[in-house]
Amino acid sequence: MLRLGRREFAPHEPVIMAIVNRTPDSFYDQGATFHDEPALTRVEQAVAEGAAIIDIGGVKAGPGEEVSAEEEARRTVGFVAEVRRRFPDVVISVDTWRHEVGEAVCEVGADVLNDAWGGVDPRLAEVAARYGAGLVCTHAGGALPRTRPHRVEYEDVMADILDRTLGLAERAVSLGVPRESVMIDPGHDFGKNTRHSLEATRRLDEMVATGWPVLVSLSNKDFVGETLDRPVKERVLGTLATTAVSAWLGAQVYRVHEVAETRQVLDMVASIAGHRAPAVARRGLA
């Protein structure tokens, strides 16, 4: 059972984490949710479309203008507090690698710290433990925050993913993070080239076999764009295909931009797998 905030999710229950970027320079929406009202509208829409988790980020993943911890907190803390007030039952995640920001957002109601840079700040897990928050343990191959991979090599990319993410997960539990609130993430694109991300996808069942809930962040990423030779705004179909494969292999949590489309893909895969009944089943019975 995965427990995040006030919510519990069964082992075969797919969970959607909707992305809400509090940045003026997001690679996907170019700042569409940087200001409060558009961002709150996005939260409302995502929840209505089936998102159980809202993932709020104050710094874009790629290189760009320097964003201090103080500025990151300014972009996220008040917004987290407002989302908590308006949506008391939604699970609030904050995408940060900094323990100072993690502390500030947990203080106002964040339920999960999404550490996309693989424990580069070891004190972030300590913050999650202190507040009883969930933690996403991501493989970034040792890359520093906001850097792009350059000629990175792995003898066995999945072996490295498992070694690093399981180490982070076990350390988090040893510090006091609830075991049922820890997720592991292969970190598509982070510290990887496109072939690494494709291999990580087709070998996701090896992560699932560890027993830790697996989170995947696939949405419109560069590995999808390079695989299909498509720009950012034309990667939805590739993203959804990758989502279906990931669901079939047992991933549980999906960090996405397109909530409604992802919900349909996950429901369809769950029904094929026998974990979900069809919404309607009249054909051949009337």
Side-chain angles (χ1 to χ4, degrees):
M1 186 71 70
L2 176 62
R3 292 186 175 89
L4 303 171
R6 300 182 181 184
R7 301 287 300 275
E8 293 186 351
F9 305 96
H12 292 296
E13 182 179 356
V15 182
I16 294 178
M17 170 189 274
I19 300 166
V20 179
N21 289 313
R22 302 287 290 153
T23 61
D25 52 358
S26 164
F27 89 98
Y28 182 71
D29 61 29
Q30 300 299 308
T33 54
F34 183 49
H35 297 292
D36 287 353
E37 285 310 312
L40 288 166
T41 299
R42 160 70 174 162
V43 173
E44 184 175 14
Q45 178 186 12
V47 171
E49 291 177 346
I53 307 171
I54 300 298
D55 190 52
I56 299 163
V59 185
K60 78 169 186 176
E65 183 180 343
E66 175 69 21
V67 180
S68 67
E70 292 76 15
E71 174 61 16
E72 183 184 356
R74 188 192 69 79
R75 295 176 179 183
T76 56
V77 176
F79 186 71
V80 168
E82 184 62 15
V83 173
R84 179 81 297 151
R85 185 183 73 82
R86 295 195 189 192
F87 304 91
D89 295 325
V90 76
V91 178
I92 299 176
S93 168
V94 175
D95 181 350
T96 185
W97 74 86
R98 292 167 164 149
H99 76 274
E100 306 97 323
V101 176
E103 182 113 33
V105 295
C106 284
E107 190 66 32
V108 296
D111 303 300
V112 178
L113 297 176
N114 180 10
D115 181 9
W117 289 103
V120 68
D121 181 349
R123 295 176 64 185
L124 189 66
E126 297 172 14
V127 171
R130 189 157 60 251
Y131 284 89
L135 184 68
V136 181
C137 299
T138 307
H139 179 271
L144 294 176
R146 307 192 68 191
T147 60
R148 297 195 189 282
H150 179 67
R151 297 184 179 178
V152 63
E153 295 182 1
Y154 298 97
E155 184 175 337
D156 182 328
V157 67
M158 182 51 73
D160 201 82
I161 289 170
L162 291 172
D163 181 62
R164 292 179 187 261
T165 59
L166 298 183
L168 290 169
E170 291 294 351
R171 175 180 181 269
V173 172
S174 74
L175 291 171
V177 179
R179 179 173 287 271
E180 63 273 18
S181 302
V182 175
M183 295 158 278
I184 59 175
D185 177 353
H188 289 80
D189 276 357
F190 281 56
K192 300 171 190 66
N193 61 33
T194 290
R195 289 183 174 85
H196 294 144
S197 292
L198 292 171
E199 181 172 352
T201 305
R202 62 177 168 267
R203 295 176 64 185
L204 272 178
D205 56 340
E206 295 176 43
M207 296 188 75
V208 174
T210 67
W212 296 97
V214 174
L215 179 150
V216 288
S217 183
L218 312 168
S219 196
N220 301 293
K221 282 195 167 179
D222 285 347
F223 83 97
V224 175
E226 287 197 351
T227 299
L228 301 176
D229 193 17
R230 290 289 185 270
V232 171
K233 293 298 183 179
E234 296 178 17
R235 298 176 184 176
V236 175
L237 291 178
T239 296
L240 294 176
T242 313
T243 298
V245 171
S246 300
W248 187 256
L249 292 176
Q252 184 168 14
V253 184
Y254 300 81
R255 182 177 180 271
V256 306
H257 298 100
E258 287 83 20
V259 175
E261 295 87 341
T262 302
R263 180 79 270 163
Q264 288 191 47
V265 168
L266 295 178
D267 285 350
M268 192 70 199
V269 173
S271 295
I272 293 169
H275 304 312
R276 173 188 177 273
V280 178
R282 294 188 292 262
R283 182 173 175 81
L285 300 177

